[in-house]
């Protein structure tokens, strides 16, 4: 059976939650494979809004197995609160429906304190993090001093892991003017939260490989967007994990051969939260209109998103680095009513034409977009469920996007409602 990876192909906020929910109806297992609770997915199901940060989007689909993979960094206290909040909306969550990889790193309170202290230093350029400790936790992971889910099961191991982490962090905190961490209080807090986390712990790599052999369909759900990838994003204004599709394998413990289709989620225009380069950003009435019509505020932070025209250069680039087989184009309805629309087809830099975003930060900041202008449409695309429901100019816009990014549209989303989706290519087709 086909397995599908869903990744954001811009700077995040592309509408992955709805698409994952739409696809999860036909999946048996839904896996988060990277990121932390800095990611936000908003789902609208039968008029009810679900806001998820750490939980996989499939958790609201009864009977599906939702998995948090080892590529995720997990705040255990936040997870417990989120589970209770979603239960309060009538969703059943149990060890039969939620599984956490035993080797998942844990975000601890001092990670968030370090994150916020760094962002608060006036002498250092801000990255624009959410301050939730995601980056410092990933640092500890590669520094081999992180505490993992499995460590919660053994008090002696947990104490050793804490001691190793505090040697590093107390030295850092002294330099930042922060108090030393209370070791005994931290261990007590971890021991208190441990039972609530350990009931979901499992060897995810083993379970997923067994599910594959049994012919089950697996949906791998990414967070953020490929332009925030730690290697291929607009560094250093990026997240702290690999966001591109290849991470689905290492972030869950399946081989790359388990991936059959990569679906890139792409907004019909461009948005970004936080700092960093944004070649097509609009600081005019058109940018304001996109933000208002698109309700562009971050699910996690509430921050207003920066808005701009569709950047085909960037999406073509992310489709290549993630091996995207088809895109899901979302929020087309936000473009309704514009007299004309623009698409970025290339960049100019120091008199040279570029067909990609350069790696050097100074060059990224200096590129200027080259635009192609298309006719807008006065009709509505909101709620369209077939090509015949779309204005001719809207169809032309979609087809031009396909040409410029060198990747076909597999799905087209025309509202937050999951039913308002036009299926072109079935990602789960065997």
């Amino acid at each position: 059976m086909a397995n599908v990876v869903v990744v954001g192909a811009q700077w995040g906020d592309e509408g992955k939650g709805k698409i994952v929910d739409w696809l999860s109806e036909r999946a048996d297992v839904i896996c988060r494979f990277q990121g932390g609770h800095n990611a936000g997915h908003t789902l609208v199901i039968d008029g009810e809004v679900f806001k998820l940060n750490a939980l996989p989007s499939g958790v609201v689909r009864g009977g599906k197995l939702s998995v948090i993979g080892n590529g995720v960094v997990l705040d255990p206290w936040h997870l417990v609160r989120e589970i209770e909040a979603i239960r309060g909306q009538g969703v059943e969550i149990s060890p039969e429906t939620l599984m956490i990889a035993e080797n998942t790193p844990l975000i601890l309170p001092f990670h968030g304190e370090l994150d916020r202290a760094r962002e608060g230093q006036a002498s250092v350029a801000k990255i624009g993090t959410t301050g939730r400790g995601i980056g410092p936790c990933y640092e500890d992971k590669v520094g081999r001093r992180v505490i993992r889910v499995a460590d919660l099961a053994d008090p002696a191991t947990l104490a050793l892991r804490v001691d190793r982490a505090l040697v590093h962090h107390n030295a850092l905190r002294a330099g930042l003017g922060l108090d030393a961490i209370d070791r005994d209080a931290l261990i007590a807090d971890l021991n208190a939260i441990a039972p609530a986390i350990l009931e979901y712990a499992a060897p995810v790599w083993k379970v997923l490989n067994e599910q594959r052999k049994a012919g089950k369909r697996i949906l791998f759900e990414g967070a953020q967007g490929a332009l925030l990838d730690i290697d291929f994003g607009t560094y250093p204004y990026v997240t702290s994990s690999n966001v591109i599709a290849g991470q689905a394998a290492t972030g869950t413990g399946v081989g790359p051969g388990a991936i059959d289709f990569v679906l890139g989620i792409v907004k019909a225009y461009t948005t970004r939260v936080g700092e960093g380069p944004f070649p097509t950003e609009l600081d005019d009435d058109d940018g304001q209109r996109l933000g208002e019509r698109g309700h562009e505020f971050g699910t996690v932070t509430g921050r207003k998103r920066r808005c701009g025209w569709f950047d085909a250069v960037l999406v073509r680039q992310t489709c290549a680095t993630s091996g995207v087989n088809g895109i899901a184009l979302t929020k087309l309805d936000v473009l309704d009513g514009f007299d004309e629309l623009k698409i970025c087809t290339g960049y100019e830099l120091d008199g040279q034409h570029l067909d990609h975003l350069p790696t050097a930060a100074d060059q990224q900041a200096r590129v200027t977009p080259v635009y192609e202008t298309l006719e807008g449409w006065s009709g509505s695309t909101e709620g369209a469920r077939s090509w015949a429901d779309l204005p001719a100019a809207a169809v032309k816009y979609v087809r031009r996007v396909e040409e410029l990014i060198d990747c076909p549209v597999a799905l087209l989303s025309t509202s937050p409602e999951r039913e308002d989706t036009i299926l072109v290519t079935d990602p789960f087709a065997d």
Side-chain angles (χ1 to χ4, degrees):
M1 306 292 281
N3 299 316
V4 177
V5 176
V6 175
V7 294
Q10 292 160 307
W11 277 293
D13 308 309
E14 303 95 348
K16 291 182 293 297
K18 170 196 165 170
I19 301 301
V20 169
D21 177 61
W22 191 87
L23 290 170
S24 68
E25 192 169 50
R26 296 173 55 219
D28 300 295
V29 185
I30 299 93
C31 302
R32 274 282 307 273
F33 61 85
Q34 53 79 217
H37 64 302
N38 56 338
H41 289 172
T42 300
L43 310 180
V44 181
I45 302 172
D46 297 329
E48 185 164 11
V49 177
F50 297 88
K51 291 183 180 291
L52 305 176
N53 300 134
L55 290 169
S57 294
V59 78
V60 297
R61 290 287 154 196
K64 307 289 183 180
L65 175 60
S66 290
V67 172
I68 296 175
N70 58 276
V72 173
V73 288
L74 183 68
D75 181 325
W77 296 276
H78 174 90
L79 180 68
V80 169
R81 291 193 299 270
E82 189 171 326
I83 288 173
E84 289 307 312
I86 297 302
R87 280 177 175 158
Q89 292 184 266
V91 176
E92 292 293 329
I93 299 177
S94 70
E96 285 68 46
T97 59
L98 177 64
M99 185 178 296
I100 304 172
E102 296 169 319
N103 51 339
T104 299
L106 296 178
I107 301 172
L108 303 183
F110 57 74
H111 289 129
E113 292 168 0
L114 176 59
D115 200 355
R116 294 186 291 274
R118 286 171 171 171
E119 282 288 289
Q121 288 182 311
S123 61
V124 179
K126 290 185 178 181
I127 300 298
T129 77
T130 58
R132 296 191 172 192
I134 281 77
C137 185
Y138 275 117
E139 291 176 39
D140 280 358
K141 175 181 177 178
V142 298
R144 294 165 291 186
R145 56 181 171 266
V146 82
I147 294 161
R148 306 195 295 180
V149 168
D151 298 330
L152 297 175
D154 180 56
T157 300
L158 180 61
L160 286 172
R161 296 284 188 267
V162 167
D163 287 342
R164 181 175 177 83
L166 296 197
V167 168
H168 174 80
H169 279 276
N170 279 332
L172 273 181
R173 293 169 71 89
L176 290 167
L178 300 175
D179 293 336
I181 298 163
D182 186 329
R183 173 189 183 274
D184 293 339
L186 175 61
I187 291 175
D189 288 343
L190 286 167
N191 283 326
I193 198 73
I197 300 301
L198 289 172
E199 67 172 315
Y200 301 106
V204 159
W205 67 269
K206 183 175 183 292
V207 173
L208 291 182
N209 279 280
E210 289 170 349
Q211 293 281 318
R212 281 193 65 211
K213 290 178 181 178
K216 303 296 185 181
R217 284 175 168 161
I218 304 174
L219 183 62
F220 297 93
E221 173 189 9
Q224 289 101 19
L227 291 170
L228 296 175
D229 185 272
I230 189 69
D231 286 308
F232 293 100
T234 49
Y235 191 90
Y237 303 100
V238 293
T239 194
S240 299
S241 61
N242 285 111
V243 181
I244 59 176
Q247 176 64 19
T250 53
T252 57
V254 300
I259 300 171
D260 301 298
F261 192 99
V262 178
L263 181 69
I265 314 301
V266 178
K267 195 175 287 185
Y269 48 104
T270 310
T271 63
R272 175 166 200 169
V273 171
E275 309 299 322
F278 186 170
T280 65
E281 184 173 10
L282 296 172
D283 293 316
D284 57 12
D285 290 343
D286 286 335
Q288 182 74 13
R289 184 176 178 182
L290 288 171
E292 291 174 355
R293 289 180 56 88
H295 306 290
E296 296 297 351
F297 296 91
T299 301
V300 172
T301 63
R303 290 182 292 180
K304 183 179 179 181
R305 297 176 186 136
R306 301 154 64 188
C307 297
W309 295 121
F310 185 82
D311 192 330
V313 181
L314 289 180
V315 175
R316 183 171 63 244
Q317 196 162 322
T318 57
C319 284
T321 55
S322 270
V324 173
N325 300 105
I327 69 166
L329 191 66
T330 67
K331 305 189 83 165
L332 182 67
D333 54 301
V334 174
L335 301 182
D336 291 352
F338 279 88
D339 292 331
E340 62 179 31
L341 302 165
K342 293 182 179 181
I343 296 178
C344 175
T345 60
Y347 303 128
E348 293 290 338
L349 177 65
D350 300 333
Q352 291 187 320
H353 181 81
L354 299 179
D355 63 357
H356 67 285
L357 187 68
T359 300
D362 69 305
Q363 294 180 355
Q364 289 181 352
R366 291 189 294 111
V367 297
T368 58
V370 176
Y371 286 118
E372 176 179 307
T373 302
L374 282 77
E375 177 187 0
W377 54 88
S378 57
S380 174
T381 63
E382 184 175 1
R385 299 183 183 180
S386 72
W387 288 106
D389 296 334
L390 298 175
V395 174
K396 185 177 180 181
Y397 182 86
V398 174
R399 295 306 187 200
R400 186 57 179 149
V401 165
E402 289 181 310
E403 292 173 357
L404 290 170
I405 67 173
D406 195 25
C407 189
V409 169
L411 297 110
L412 189 63
S413 172
T414 57
S415 93
E417 295 293 338
R418 67 191 303 272
E419 293 80 8
D420 294 337
T421 305
I422 301 171
L423 177 63
V424 181
T425 302
D426 183 2
F428 276 122
D430 297 326

